[in-house]
Structures are given as structure tokens and as C-alpha cells.
């Protein structure tokens, strides 16, 4: 547990009592604060009262007497499409609003670090797609190389649930736009930007606001080193903004598909090979094609970013390559779950938007594609150029028929349920093909989250394969 600093003797309000909210309460109490809480759910409030916490309706002006800070959970809107009433009330009362990420950055360093031989570091990873895989891969490389490491943030555990830093440790944080948008302190040592594609547009009032939320980690955080994916204009812009010129190696540019030989420091992948270039010459190369935990060009971009971080932390190429080869992959992200009769089964339920689904479709040669769900803003048009590898689509979701009509040039069967889709895909799949779940849509029309959807796919496949 990271005890929050500089809150002793103060009263702090916590809005939202999910995973991060509960951890925030404990960390504030450990730091000596008196905590009051509110959650829109009656069950969460009742549990808080049973735990001995003071529950206040923070939407009421009178609830702010004596409160010096509000800490809100990342899923609660603080500006768009409109601020939560409790946050608006905090503004009116003149109470600062922060989140657990801001508390972490102002509390992680302690006096104990004076006795360390090597100062701990924080690596942050943000972007639209690939940030979970990149974060987990960095953590895996560090662990395999014998470097103390913890992984938290938008993946795994809450940031304030981390253990206090050890000598030489590296903390790897996956951060969403919801987390970077509000945090009042952002001071990573190394920050990664993977890529940008339209997502969460209602929460950020459009693509510009979404990018601005990501950019805060670099513009306000001032990392010692920035690893920037430059396959989109937003990444190219940010790399240019952060760099002082061609010789500035504080910015490491990464790409999947583009040679970056002119940059002072770059890591890129082409045709399955990763190359690291520094000051105009190649210093390392790895064949990524046989690394089963990182299939496809999108995962090769993730590998480039993780490689760049590991190199910036002083790890050698051989150690990084060996660790990559043992990387098992993450559940629901290009997760190979079975193979039978020459047919592979891959769970990419995390492909909840068009861009991530397009990347998944480019990773395999011939695909029986399970797709569909709660369609996101913008439609499926950008997917059309990437349907060439699809032998057939099996569409799930409550609006499966409407989804299927947006897939021109391929056969699409309306299945509605996961059980029917898996049954039909298995019946028709041939050796050399891949049955791929990459929905290109949110899960909330049928499932609580993408994890539940992926678990259902895995269960249906295993039940039928025996």
C-alpha cells in the first residue's frame, strides 16, 4: 500500500467505491486523513457504512464543510459529456479534484529512497491500442532480467495498492485517457505513447480532447525519456514537440512498418523483423515472427515500444530478446487458446473498436471471424480495407443483422449468440484457418465487459473441442 502523503489531519472525500476507490480510501487513511465517501450505488454505500466509513451525499453543498480534497474514480465523468453532480459541487465549494494517479505520483517517493543504491523509476504507457500488452511485456522483460518490478494502473491492481518501492525497482503503469486527463501530478521517468485512434469520444468531446488527455502525460509530466509511436500524425506531432532536434535521443520513435533510420534513436519493425537504430546505424535486430505471444504487426509495434523502454533502462539486446520469447501474452488480447486439426482459435475480445479489430484481422492469413456487439461511433467503414483475409464472418450481438450489413464483399452469417457463432465457425473451419474473436464493438449489449465476452468464447470453444 502506498500511503498518501501530506493529508494527515485533513478530511478527504472519495467519489466512487470500485477497485480504485476502495484502494484510495485505505491509502488515505494510512496517510492519516479522515475519509468521507459517496457512491451512486446503494449497495456500495451500504457496504461502506458496514465498514465504518462516513457516507456523505457529495452532490449536496452542505457535505463539503471541512473537506480539503475530492478524489474521484476514473470512470466518473468530470467534464464531458457533463460533470458528475458531486464534482460540480466540489468546484462550487472551491475543493480541488484529483484521482488516484495524481495521489500516487505525489506520494511514491519517500525518505527511504535516500538509502537506495539505485533510485526507483516509473514507466507509464498510454495510447488507444496496445497499452496493456506493452505494459505487461515491459514488466515481463524486467522480471525475466532480474529487475524488481510491479505492474498496475489500468491493468491488474490499483496504483495505490502497490507495495512501497524497493531499491532499483521499476513500476510499470498502464494509464487510460480517463486517468491522465484529471491527475494533478504526472511525473514518470519514461512515458510511452503507443498510437491513437478514435475512442471514448463522448468522454473527451471529440478526437482533439481525447488526444489532449493522452498528451498531458508528456506535456505536463516532462518524462526524462519519451517513447512515441509515430505511425499516426498525432504521434509524429508529439515527437516533434518533445524533441530539440535530430540529435535529441530523449525521444525514441517507434513504428510498425516504417523505417526510421534518420532519427537519433528509433526502434521499428518491418516484415516481422525488429531493428534498433542509434545515430544512423543499426545496433540490434530480432526476428519477431516466431514469438507466439506477439502475433501480427500491431503486436510488433508493442514489441518495439517495450524494447525501447527496456533499452532506455539499461537492459541488453540478448536479455530482452530472450524475455520476449517467453512472453505468454495477455488474456483477451491475441490470446491463442487452442488448436485442432490445423485450425487455431484466438481470443481478441479486447478488440473493442474498429482500429484494434483491423489490426487483429491483419495478423492472420485466413480467418473465420466472430464479430459484433454494441457498435461504437463512426461505423465500420474503416474496417472494409482489411477484410481480405476473412473467409466468413459470424456476427453476434443484439443488432447482429445491422452489423452484418456493414460488411460488404464477404459472407456474413447472423448468429446473435456466442454459442451459435462458435458452433458454426468450428463446423466450417478448415486446416490453416484461424477462428478469431475480434468484435470491433463494445460488449455491453450482451456482457458486463470484454473479459466476460472473451471468457464465454473460450468456454464455448473448449466445450466443443473437448
Amino acid at each position: 500500500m502506498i500511503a498518501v502523503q501530506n493529508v494527515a489531519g485533513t478530511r478527504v472525500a472519495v467519489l466512487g467505491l470500485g477497485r480504485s476507490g476502495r484502494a484510495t480510501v485505505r491509502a488515505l487513511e494510512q496517510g492519516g486523513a479522515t475519509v468521507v465517501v459517496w457512491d451512486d450505488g446503494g449497495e456500495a454505500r451500504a457496504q461502506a457504512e458496514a465498514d465504518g466509513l462516513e457516507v456523505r451525499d457529495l452532490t449536496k453543498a452542505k457535505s463539503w464543510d471541512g473537506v480539503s480534497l475530492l478524489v474521484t474514480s476514473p470512470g466518473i465523468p468530470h467534464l464531458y459529456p457533463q460533470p458528475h453532480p458531486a464534482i460540480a459541487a466540489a468546484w462550487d465549494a472551491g475543493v480541488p479534484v484529483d484521482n488516484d494517479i495524481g495521489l500516487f505520483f505525489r506520494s511514491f517517493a519517500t525518505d527511504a529512497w535516500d538509502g537506495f543504491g539505485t533510485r526507483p523509476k516509473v514507466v507509464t504507457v498510454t495510447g488507444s491500442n496496445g497499452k496493456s500488452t506493452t505494459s505487461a511485456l515491459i514488466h515481463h522483460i524486467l522480471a525475466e532480467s532480474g529487475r524488481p518490478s510491479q505492474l498496475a494502473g489500468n491493468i491488474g491492481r490499483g496504483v495505490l495498492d502497490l507495495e512501497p518501492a524497493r531499491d532499483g525497482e521499476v513500476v510499470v503503469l498502464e494509464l487510460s485517457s480517463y486517468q491522465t486527463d484529471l491527475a494533478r501530478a504526472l511525473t514518470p521517468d519514461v512515458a510511452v505513447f503507443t498510437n491513437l485512434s478514435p475512442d471514448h469520444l463522448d468522454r473527451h468531446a471529440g478526437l482533439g480532447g481525447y488526444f489532449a488527455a493522452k498528451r498531458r502525460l508528456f506535456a505536463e509530466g516532462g518524462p526524462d525519456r519519451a517513447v512515441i509511436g509515430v505511425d499516426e500524425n498525432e504521434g509524429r506531432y508529439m515527437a516533434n514537440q518533445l524533441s530539440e532536434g535530430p540529435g535529441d535521443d530523449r525521444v525514441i520513435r517507434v513504428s510498425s512498418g516504417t523505417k526510421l533510420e534518420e532519427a537519433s534513436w528509433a526502434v521499428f519493425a518491418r516484415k516481422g523483423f525488429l531493428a534498433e537504430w542509434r545515430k544512423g546505424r543499426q545496433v540490434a535486430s530480432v526476428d519477431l515472427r516466431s514469438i507466439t505471444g506477439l502475433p501480427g504487426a500491431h503486436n510488433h509495434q508493442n514489441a518495439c515500444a517495450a524494447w525501447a523502454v527496456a533499452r532506455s533502462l539499461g537492459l541488453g539486446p540478448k536479455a530482452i530478446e530472450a524475455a520476449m520469447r517467453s512472453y505468454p501474452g495477455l488474456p483477451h488480447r491475441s490470446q491463442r487458446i487452442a488448436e485442432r486439426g490445423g485450425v487455431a482459435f484466438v481470443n481478441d475480445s479486447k478488440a473493442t473498436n474498429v482500429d484494434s479489430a483491423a489490426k487483429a484481422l491483419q495478423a492472420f492469413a485466413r480467418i473465420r471471424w466472430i464479430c459484433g456487439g454494441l457498435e461504437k461511433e463512426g461505423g465500420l467503414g474503416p474496417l472494409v480495407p482489411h477484410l481480405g483475409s476473412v473467409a466468413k464472418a459470424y456476427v453476434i450481438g443484439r443488432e447482429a443483422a445491422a452489423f452484418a450489413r456493414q460488411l460488404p464483399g464477404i459472407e456474413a452469417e447472423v448468429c446473435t449468440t456466442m454459442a451459435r457463432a462458435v458452433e458454426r465457425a468450428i463446423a466450417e473451419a478448415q486446416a490453416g484457418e484461424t477462428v478469431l474473436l475480434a468484435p470491433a464493438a463494445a460488449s455491453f449489449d450482451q456482457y458486463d465487459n470484454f473479459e466476460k465476452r472473451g471468457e464465454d468464447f473460450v468456454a464455448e470453444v473448449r466445450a466443443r473441442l473437448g
Side-chain angles (χ1 to χ4, degrees):
M1 175 65 65
I2 305 295
V4 179
Q5 297 183 32
N6 302 316
V7 294
T10 68
R11 178 173 281 105
V12 180
V14 173
L15 177 63
L17 295 171
R19 182 191 69 177
S20 66
R22 293 191 300 270
T24 298
V25 169
R26 295 192 298 271
L28 286 165
E29 290 181 331
Q30 190 165 323
T34 298
V35 180
V36 300
V37 301
W38 181 253
D39 192 284
D40 291 336
E43 184 176 338
R45 296 197 300 268
Q47 183 60 57
E49 288 181 334
D51 292 340
L53 295 171
E54 180 184 351
V55 177
R56 289 190 187 183
D57 185 349
L58 297 176
T59 66
K60 309 297 184 183
K62 63 182 180 181
S63 296
W64 293 96
D65 292 345
V67 174
S68 61
L69 176 69
L70 170 64
V71 184
T72 182
S73 294
I76 298 173
H78 61 270
L79 187 55
Y80 302 113
Q82 60 184 15
H84 187 279
I87 293 177
W91 293 349
D92 292 339
V95 174
V97 181
D98 204 347
N99 61 16
D100 61 335
I101 304 302
L103 297 185
F104 168 83
F105 276 111
R106 81 185 207 188
S107 304
F108 185 52
T110 67
D111 291 341
W113 290 23
D114 293 339
F116 290 166
T118 302
R119 188 179 70 86
K121 293 183 180 292
V122 178
V123 174
T124 57
V125 181
T126 195
S128 296
N129 300 305
K131 55 185 180 292
S132 293
T133 295
T134 301
S135 301
L137 181 56
I138 293 167
H139 174 62
H140 177 79
I141 292 169
L142 291 166
E144 290 293 297
S145 302
R147 188 83 176 264
S149 177
Q150 297 185 75
L151 177 66
N154 204 44
I155 182 174
R157 61 207 296 200
V159 293
L160 295 174
D161 258 338
L162 289 168
E163 298 301 318
R166 295 169 287 176
D167 193 342
E169 185 167 53
V170 178
V171 168
V172 184
L173 303 181
E174 178 196 336
L175 299 182
S176 72
S177 59
Y178 292 4
Q179 293 168 311
T180 58
D181 196 21
L182 184 63
R184 296 170 72 93
L186 289 167
T187 54
D189 297 282
V190 182
V192 179
F193 176 80
T194 58
N195 49 59
L196 195 85
S197 62
D199 207 357
H200 308 304
L201 300 188
D202 58 336
R203 178 67 180 264
H204 299 291
L207 186 61
Y210 178 49
F211 176 52
K214 301 285 189 185
R215 185 174 177 268
R216 287 191 76 240
L217 187 59
F218 303 84
E220 300 188 28
D224 295 332
R225 180 154 277 126
V227 177
I228 308 292
V230 294
D231 288 334
E232 294 86 27
N233 282 336
E234 290 84 358
R236 295 172 64 205
Y237 162 79
M238 190 152 60
N240 180 269
Q241 287 278 296
L242 295 171
S243 175
E244 294 296 329
D248 188 354
D249 66 0
R250 294 174 302 170
V251 178
I252 307 177
R253 292 164 171 82
V254 302
S255 173
S256 175
T258 301
K259 287 185 177 181
L260 302 173
E261 298 171 358
E262 302 303 319
S264 179
W265 195 350
V267 183
F268 57 87
R270 282 173 55 85
K271 299 181 179 179
F273 287 86
L274 177 152
E276 179 186 359
W277 280 68
R278 296 192 70 173
K279 300 188 184 303
R281 67 184 185 89
Q282 183 173 308
V283 297
S285 178
V286 177
D287 185 351
L288 299 173
R289 295 172 299 176
S290 60
I291 300 179
T292 57
L294 296 166
H298 61 305
N299 274 312
H300 294 172
Q301 183 191 52
N302 300 334
C304 289
W307 180 282
V309 170
R311 292 287 280 146
S312 73
L313 294 172
L315 275 65
K318 290 184 178 179
I320 301 172
E321 180 181 356
M324 282 184 170
R325 295 196 178 282
S326 65
Y327 176 65
L330 282 176
H332 316 299
R333 298 164 178 86
S334 297
Q335 177 192 16
R336 191 181 185 97
I337 60 169
E339 183 173 342
R340 187 171 187 179
V343 177
F345 295 83
V346 176
N347 168 24
D348 203 342
S349 184
K350 185 60 172 67
T352 59
N353 59 42
V354 167
D355 185 67
S356 55
K359 288 180 168 62
L361 291 175
Q362 295 172 69
F364 306 99
R366 187 168 170 82
I367 298 168
R368 300 283 169 175
W369 180 32
I370 299 177
C371 58
L374 188 62
E375 187 180 331
K376 293 190 174 181
E377 183 180 345
L380 304 180
L383 267 179
V384 174
H386 307 290
L387 299 179
S389 60
V390 176
K392 183 176 177 179
Y394 306 82
V395 188
I396 64 174
R398 294 178 185 173
E399 303 297 330
F403 195 99
R405 285 195 293 271
Q406 298 183 67
L407 303 174
I410 64 170
E411 183 181 359
E413 180 175 338
V414 175
C415 296
T416 306
T417 66
M418 184 69 74
R420 176 65 175 169
V422 171
E423 177 185 29
R424 295 292 298 135
I426 289 177
E428 297 183 344
Q430 302 175 23
E433 295 182 337
T434 298
V435 175
L436 170 69
L437 171 65
S443 60
F444 304 125
D445 60 331
Q446 291 182 308
Y447 301 94
D448 289 341
N449 49 53
F450 74 83
E451 292 96 341
K452 293 295 184 184
R453 177 172 58 191
E455 290 166 4
D456 191 20
F457 172 71
V458 172
E460 292 292 345
V461 169
R462 289 177 176 167
R464 283 166 174 74
L465 296 186

